[in-house]
Amino acid sequence: MQITLNINGQDKKMDVEPRTLLAHAIRDAGLTGTHIGCDSSSCGVCTVLLDGNIPVKSCTMFAVSAEGHPITTVEGLAGSNLHPIQQAFHDQHGLQCGYCTPGMMLSSVALLERNPNPSEDEIRFALSGNLCRCTGYQNIVKAVQQAAQAMNQPAGAAADD
Amino acid sequence: MAIESPNLEPKGIQGLGKAIKRKEDSRFIVGKGNYLDDINLPGMMHMALVHSPYAHAKINGIDSSEALKVPGVKAVITSKELAGAGLAWVPTLAGDKQMVLADGKVLYQWQEVAAVFADTRQAAADGAAAVQVDYEPLQAVVDPYKATDADAPVLREDIKDKMEGAHGPRRHNNHIWTWDVGSKDETDQALASSEIRVKQHMVYPRSHPAPLEPCGCIGDMSKATGRLTVYMTSQAPHAIRTVLSLVTGIPENNIRVISPDIGGGFGNKVPVYPGYVCAIVGSIVLGVPVKWVETRTENLTTTGFARDFHMDIEIGATKEGKVTAMKVYTLADHGAFDAAADPSKYPAGLFSICTGSYDFPKAYAEVDAVYTNKAPGGVAYRCSFRVTEASYLIERSMDVLAHELKMDPAELRIKNFIQPAQFPYPSALGWTYDSGDYEKTLKVALDKLGYEELRKEQAEKRAKGELMGIGISTFTEIVGAGPSKDFDILGLKMFDGAEIRVHPSGSAIVRAGTRHQGQGHETTWAQIVSEELGLDVDKIIVEEGDTDTAPYGLGTYASRSTPVAGGAMALGARRIREKAKKIAAHLLEVGEADVEWADKKFSVKGVPGKSVTMSQVAFAAYTNLPQGMEPGLETTYYYDPPNLTFPNGAYVCVVDVDKGTGEVKVRRFVAIDDCGTIINPMIVEGQVHGGLTEGFAMAFMQEIAFDAEGNNLSSNFTDYLLPTSLETPKWETGHTVTPSPHHPIGAKGVGESPTVGSPAAFVNAVVDALAHLGVRHLDMPVTREKVWKVLRGAGIDAF
Ligand code: FES
Ligand code: FES
């Protein structure tokens, strides 16, 4: 069936089966930064944002149900500069193999939208749907803290490197 | 407009010891990593596998007719078709052989039975669901201790009554090999005359590496060129090329293996799996590229498991706590095929490191391997070939001994450590340890923790009926396999290659036979070359994983990259520097003997200010050479290490146990590692964090379990539990630095130390918390339920 998904601000027409998962539809549209890591909605590497700030495991949703809901994937995070969360993951060594990283960053962004000053416990709770097998989470927590700080600075004050 | 690739490169000369940010991050943080499933080739078909629901069954027939009616399905193959290509069975890395698709019977639940090829992934899956298989269930062998009972069913009909195996005689149809090391008689004598003897049985349960990216492969046989390109999630692409050539008969020059970005490996991505073989055969038969990406369930149920060592240990000691001897018997459950990824001479891997950090005068270890109706494997899960099992065994046992002696476990360890002056230290089981200062490392850990204070707190709590424990693990690893005189896999010697090409403008490309999966080689190799050649790291690009371009090497696992490929990198760079020195002398118009390499440039001895940089030399290598010199500035270096390296560490864990629920909370965990010279402290710390988290997982939650019929009870992430950010403790890390005397830069490797060393620290801490209740040992995973049962059994009030 024909559907149109709005991904990162662009309308994409696609032909999908009713059972096609959103994760597959996004990847088939060439946006392979959204990964797949399990069959049980457990790992979170497929996380995207729906309607701007709702983190969703895209393997848990049919592509058809996402029609009319703008989707943000990792490819849509950066503007002309990196998003502070991207810079922070790099600065704090918040990634190793990188497979969990897109989902992890999107869950972090959703948290920071809801809660600009999260405590460590709140960060750990918000990311508990995203598994990481490499980092042990500690540097990911630090990255979210760095991003929170950067995002709380008045506009224009953030260093641009 | 979104940015495609940010420039985040660290700049300038950045040598050893610099915590520079990683060069490889740029692509990953913008979603532009290139993992296997991100690759799509024109005309590509998809493959799905049919799996057995039974652990042991005879196959009376396979009917593909319904599957072939599914729209989009193009072909179905079974063992019969593979037999036509001579690929029904393939050799394993351990000298055994393995069915690619079930041949007459299935030997474990989820075993691959047929492969379905279709235009789309969905059609392939639908096709697989439509294949009808007629099974006749047989009695399954699940308990390894029952595998060699006289009346146990024969699992491997293919080798029935062949009593000579790849590693010596077999004494039962389900027995694979027996391996032993050390002197049994001398050890028995030493034990007999020991004042104190303790015995303990312990199980290192079956586990799975479970990287977040599952395994996958694209076979792409070009009819036009006769060349086979294989994209594969492989930690060892070069070895895979050779193996593929041997099993398919395709000349090695016509095979190209590309291992793209890998989303974690941890040993899972070393072996060759049936899915790979089927996708390649599919491409050869169908003439189009064929992709196979496993599901998580396929990953957990069929690809290389780890551990499954059932160990009995006896230790002798004096009354004062000086160890006299150690004797170990281990039963290794290998599943249906011996597909362990071990060096040929070592069917039980490097398990003989089980004397650990202690000066055991006598030791003897024996390992028996058996077949059961479980998935094959025995991969080194974030571990250098059974070192994890060995370290857990000795570190857990030292606490058992301390318990028996009523001695502080730290004191017992200090009493028995190999002393710095004893290095190079010949161990009772035949290894020559390179270096270490175990007591210093432990003291750093105990000080950081505040050990004495915590022991006081523990005593006070115990008096109040509260449960708190402290666990220590002072492990020694053995990594960096290995010296070619002893180490090979399928005959391939375990050296590694590095190629360095310096371009005229002073930039360089560096290639290695290793394949990183998150370890940061794109940064650390550049740092070694930056250190040795004085080139800017941002002008050094590192490439791995393409067998057409990278020099040969056995790959990245068993913490061998830095010890082996890192050595090749340093020595290759030094070879380039020798030539560069000649060019520098020419540029400086002095004799070579007057030129020295200092401060990362060539200078004329005694003439300050008269110098040239490596960039200037590189330009001259292509534009202004001394008469008669071969142009260019590049080399390929193969490094055959003289010995293994012996990273070590002291880990201390503090736990609080809830006496009502049995819940264990890790309050503190201090990890002091000694991995020799550190290339990048940030990356080393990241490796330690990750490894500790996997050790934590092992200690408290991870287990591939089976029921009595051989059904896999841990076939997805809702049953096979990985720690999330919520339960993962905070890690406190630190270092001592005792360089390896034989390694070109003194590095030992670190990626696996935390997985190897930490499980015993966790379990020791829990047992310590419960010791006064008579608990001497608990097997992993130490679940809440297990602890709860202990508490209730001991009559402890919940409130
Ligand atoms: S792929 Fe694992 S949660 Fe979506
Ligand atoms: S960085 Fe590898 S899974 Fe998180």
Side-chain angles (χ1 to χ4, degrees):
Chain A
M1 57 192 289
Q2 297 285 335
I3 60 167
T4 302
L5 294 184
N6 183 285
I7 311 179
N8 302 327
Q10 284 185 333
D11 277 344
K12 298 204 186 257
K13 283 198 197 326
M14 44 184 91
D15 191 12
V16 299
E17 292 184 45
R19 63 173 171 172
T20 302
L21 300 176
L22 179 57
H24 284 127
I26 291 171
R27 291 181 52 79
D28 289 347
L31 297 164
T32 53
T34 301
H35 300 144
I36 294 173
C38 71
D39 347 306
S40 52
S41 285
S42 308
C43 74
V45 303
C46 60
T47 305
V48 299
L49 299 183
L50 222 59
D51 295 327
N53 57 10
I54 305 170
V56 166
K57 288 177 175 173
S58 63
C59 73
T60 315
M61 189 169 177
F62 294 118
V64 288
S65 340
E67 241 188 340
H69 298 276
I71 296 158
T72 310
T73 70
V74 63
E75 290 90 344
L77 260 185
S80 53
N81 286 317
L82 285 178
H83 187 285
I85 197 73
Q86 293 172 308
Q87 184 68 46
F89 266 69
H90 172 64
D91 289 348
Q92 299 296 339
H93 189 31
L95 64 148
Q96 291 182 24
C97 78
Y99 202 71
C100 70
T101 312
M104 215 40 112
M105 293 192 302
L106 289 160
S107 287
S108 305
V109 167
L111 165 70
L112 294 175
E113 297 249 333
R114 288 196 307 275
N115 178 355
N117 282 304
S119 67
E120 167 156 4
D121 284 350
E122 286 169 334
I123 295 170
R124 285 184 179 263
F125 183 76
L127 298 182
S128 60
N130 293 74
L131 293 174
C132 174
R133 199 63 168 149
C134 304
T135 66
Y137 304 103
Q138 197 151 319
N139 290 342
I140 291 178
V141 171
K142 280 199 225 158
V144 179
Q145 288 166 334
Q146 176 185 321
Q149 225 171 30
M151 289 163 76
N152 288 336
Q153 275 175 23
D160 187 7
D161 59 2
Chain B
M1 179 57 208
I3 48 175
E4 288 286 312
S5 65
N7 183 4
L8 294 170
E9 296 263 309
K11 306 275 188 297
I13 299 175
Q14 303 282 358
L16 304 182
K18 299 275 173 57
I20 58 169
K21 309 274 178 273
R22 295 200 321 168
K23 290 163 70 69
E24 48 266 77
D25 286 356
S26 306
R27 62 183 184 275
F28 296 124
I29 55 173
V30 295
K32 296 287 180 195
N34 187 36
Y35 302 95
L36 190 279
D37 199 15
D38 301 342
I39 300 168
N40 290 299
L41 303 176
M44 189 173 80
M45 288 217 252
H46 296 263
M47 184 183 93
L49 294 166
V50 177
H51 297 277
S52 164
Y54 297 105
H56 195 195
K58 195 165 167 275
I59 294 182
N60 290 327
I62 302 174
D63 179 1
S64 313
S65 55
E66 289 302 314
L68 289 164
K69 286 184 203 151
V70 173
V73 170
K74 292 288 166 2
V76 178
I77 60 169
T78 64
S79 186
K80 222 195 284 162
E81 285 73 35
L82 289 174
L87 288 172
W89 292 69
V90 292
T92 70
L93 297 178
D96 196 357
K97 57 183 182 151
Q98 163 171 13
M99 293 175 195
V100 174
L101 295 172
D103 183 8
K105 67 191 270 195
V106 288
L107 289 164
Y108 55 97
Q109 192 195 32
W110 289 95
Q111 186 176 345
E112 301 84 350
V113 176
V116 178
F117 302 88
D119 292 335
T120 64
R121 188 175 289 181
Q122 289 85 346
D126 289 346
V131 172
Q132 303 287 325
V133 185
D134 179 5
Y135 297 101
E136 186 181 321
L138 302 168
Q139 187 199 333
V141 175
V142 181
D143 180 347
Y145 285 100
K146 301 214 173 102
T148 49
D149 282 356
D151 59 349
V154 178
L155 305 191
R156 293 285 300 276
E157 317 268 1
D158 59 300
I159 48 170
K160 190 167 177 229
D161 300 332
K162 286 196 186 132
M163 300 325 268
E164 193 56 37
H167 302 284
R170 307 194 310 137
R171 57 179 161 69
H172 183 284
N173 272 313
N174 296 335
H175 175 244
I176 315 176
W177 44 256
T178 299
W179 179 84
D180 71 341
V181 60
S183 166
K184 192 172 184 200
D185 292 345
E186 289 173 21
T187 303
D188 281 340
Q189 277 164 22
L191 283 172
S193 57
S194 294
E195 292 164 343
I196 306 283
R197 296 168 76 167
V198 289
K199 283 186 182 182
Q200 184 64 50
H201 173 74
M202 60 184 86
V203 180
Y204 206 124
R206 182 174 274 236
S207 182
H208 195 284
L212 285 194
E213 179 205 29
C215 300
C217 156
I218 304 172
D220 182 15
M221 181 75 195
S222 163
K223 286 236 160 97
T225 63
R227 255 200 131 201
L228 172 68
T229 304
V230 181
Y231 303 82
M232 188 188 283
T233 50
S234 174
Q235 299 175 226
H238 299 271
I240 295 286
R241 183 186 69 192
T242 304
V243 170
L244 285 178
S245 176
L246 292 174
V247 299
T248 62
I250 298 172
E252 204 166 347
N253 62 308
N254 266 343
I255 301 178
R256 177 182 188 186
V257 178
I258 298 176
S259 182
D261 285 329
I262 300 183
F266 316 117
N268 191 192
K269 293 168 180 171
V270 174
V272 174
Y273 295 123
Y276 298 160
V277 179
C278 291
I280 291 166
V281 170
S283 177
I284 294 171
V285 172
L286 297 162
V288 294
V290 171
K291 182 194 268 189
W292 169 70
V293 176
E294 64 181 6
T295 63
R296 177 56 57 191
T297 296
E298 290 177 310
N299 175 253
L300 290 174
T301 55
T302 64
T303 63
F305 78 88
R307 326 296 190 225
D308 221 339
F309 258 34
H310 304 248
M311 306 178 280
D312 283 284
I313 185 169
E314 179 170 11
I315 290 182
T318 65
K319 276 199 269 226
E320 292 71 40
K322 195 92 182 98
V323 295
T324 51
M326 158 197 276
K327 190 174 174 189
V328 178
Y329 174 77
T330 293
L331 185 65
D333 182 343
H334 277 254
F337 309 100
D338 184 6
D342 286 320
S344 309
K345 259 172 79 172
Y346 302 95
L350 309 182
F351 184 66
S352 50
I353 194 69
C354 58
T355 53
S357 308
Y358 314 103
D359 191 10
F360 275 94
K362 301 284 174 216
Y364 174 72
E366 181 180 15
V367 183
D368 255 336
V370 295
Y371 292 121
T372 60
N373 287 115
K374 297 177 195 161
V379 297
Y381 164 21
R382 205 164 181 160
C383 156
S384 177
F385 312 119
R386 305 292 189 185
V387 174
T388 311
E389 292 90 326
S391 293
Y392 176 74
L393 175 70
I394 177 63
E395 288 306 318
R396 186 73 273 284
S397 302
M398 287 306 272
D399 266 38
V400 171
L401 178 60
H403 184 94
E404 179 75 23
L405 291 162
K406 300 193 174 46
M407 192 183 270
D408 181 284
E411 189 192 331
L412 176 69
R413 285 173 165 83
I414 290 170
K415 202 167 253 185
N416 289 291
F417 278 147
I418 298 160
Q419 295 302 307
Q422 288 176 276
F423 292 97
Y425 170 79
S427 80
L429 293 182
W431 302 110
T432 304
Y433 291 27
D434 58 352
S435 64
D437 192 341
Y438 301 143
E439 188 170 338
K440 177 168 116 192
T441 310
L442 175 58
K443 290 216 157 123
V444 171
L446 296 179
D447 286 349
K448 191 175 169 103
L449 187 83
Y451 185 65
E452 299 299 330
E453 283 305 302
L454 285 161
R455 280 287 176 211
K456 270 187 219 137
E457 183 191 333
Q458 183 188 29
E460 286 161 20
K461 287 218 154 125
R462 206 168 265 184
K464 284 191 277 178
E466 291 172 33
L467 302 172
M468 165 191 169
I470 306 172
I472 300 176
S473 169
T474 45
F475 62 94
T476 289
E477 268 196 292
I478 174 170
V479 309
S484 62
K485 66 175 176 357
D486 290 323
F487 287 90
D488 71 86
I489 288 184
L490 294 176
L492 300 167
K493 301 291 187 187
M494 298 184 74
F495 54 76
D496 248 301
E499 181 199 73
I500 303 169
R501 296 182 179 186
V502 185
H503 307 315
S505 57
S507 59
I509 183 162
V510 169
R511 295 190 172 108
T514 42
R515 182 64 183 107
H516 66 88
Q517 315 120 42
Q519 295 90 335
H521 294 174
E522 292 178 38
T523 307
T524 48
W525 293 164
Q527 281 182 266
I528 293 178
V529 172
S530 182
E531 172 80 32
E532 299 289 342
L533 294 184
L535 295 175
D536 296 345
V537 279
D538 47 316
K539 298 207 180 113
I540 301 169
I541 184 164
V542 175
E543 225 183 64
E544 295 181 331
D546 183 341
T547 58
D548 265 10
T549 57
Y552 207 90
L554 275 229
T556 295
Y557 43 87
S559 276
R560 59 186 302 284
S561 293
T562 297
V564 190
M569 203 60 73
L571 294 178
R574 285 176 203 170
R575 187 190 273 165
I576 285 184
R577 212 164 68 200
E578 278 167 34
K579 178 173 181 182
K581 192 175 180 191
K582 293 189 171 61
I583 302 173
H586 164 72
L587 293 176
L588 293 163
E589 298 177 323
V590 293
E592 199 188 330
D594 292 326
V595 175
E596 64 178 358
W597 173 257
D599 289 338
K600 310 232 171 3
K601 54 183 188 279
F602 293 108
S603 308
V604 179
K605 283 183 197 156
V607 188
K610 204 166 177 215
S611 62
V612 288
T613 63
M614 188 60 79
S615 279
Q616 289 168 310
V617 169
F619 193 66
Y622 297 86
T623 59
N624 173 18
L625 281 165
Q627 190 105 45
M629 184 182 276
E630 181 190 357
L633 196 58
E634 59 184 62
T635 196
T636 303
Y637 197 101
Y638 285 96
Y639 180 62
D640 182 5
N643 189 6
L644 296 120
T645 61
F646 297 76
N648 51 84
Y651 293 171
V652 196
C653 173
V654 183
V655 299
D656 296 296
V657 179
D658 184 314
K659 59 183 178 163
T661 63
E663 183 173 1
V664 176
K665 271 235 157 62
V666 175
R667 189 201 309 179
R668 305 256 322 264
F669 196 101
V670 170
I672 307 299
D673 274 285
D674 193 333
C675 59
T677 305
I678 292 173
I679 301 170
N680 183 321
M682 177 194 80
I683 288 176
V684 167
E685 189 188 48
Q687 289 290 307
V688 174
H689 285 178
L692 291 175
T693 306
E694 291 193 58
F696 170 77
M698 209 90 75
F700 294 111
M701 49 184 82
Q702 270 180 197
E703 182 183 12
I704 299 286
F706 295 84
D707 70 8
E709 274 84 54
N711 294 305
N712 188 317
L713 303 176
S714 322
S715 61
N716 59 54
F717 281 161
T718 53
D719 299 320
Y720 184 67
L721 301 179
L722 310 187
T724 73
S725 48
L726 263 188
E727 55 268 6
T728 300
K730 272 216 257 187
W731 311 116
E732 302 170 55
T733 59
H735 294 280
T736 54
V737 177
T738 313
S740 170
H742 65 75
H743 186 270
I745 59 168
K748 292 187 169 190
V750 75
E752 295 163 346
S753 295
T755 344
V756 168
S758 67
F762 293 113
V763 179
N764 286 346
V766 181
V767 172
D768 184 53
L770 306 174
H772 60 296
L773 307 177
V775 176
R776 201 169 81 162
H777 176 71
L778 288 172
D779 274 327
M780 297 185 288
V782 181
T783 57
R784 205 179 297 192
E785 185 191 354
K786 254 183 218 172
V787 176
W788 186 87
K789 280 187 178 151
V790 167
L791 294 169
R792 296 300 82 86
I796 298 291
D797 269 349
F799 303 102

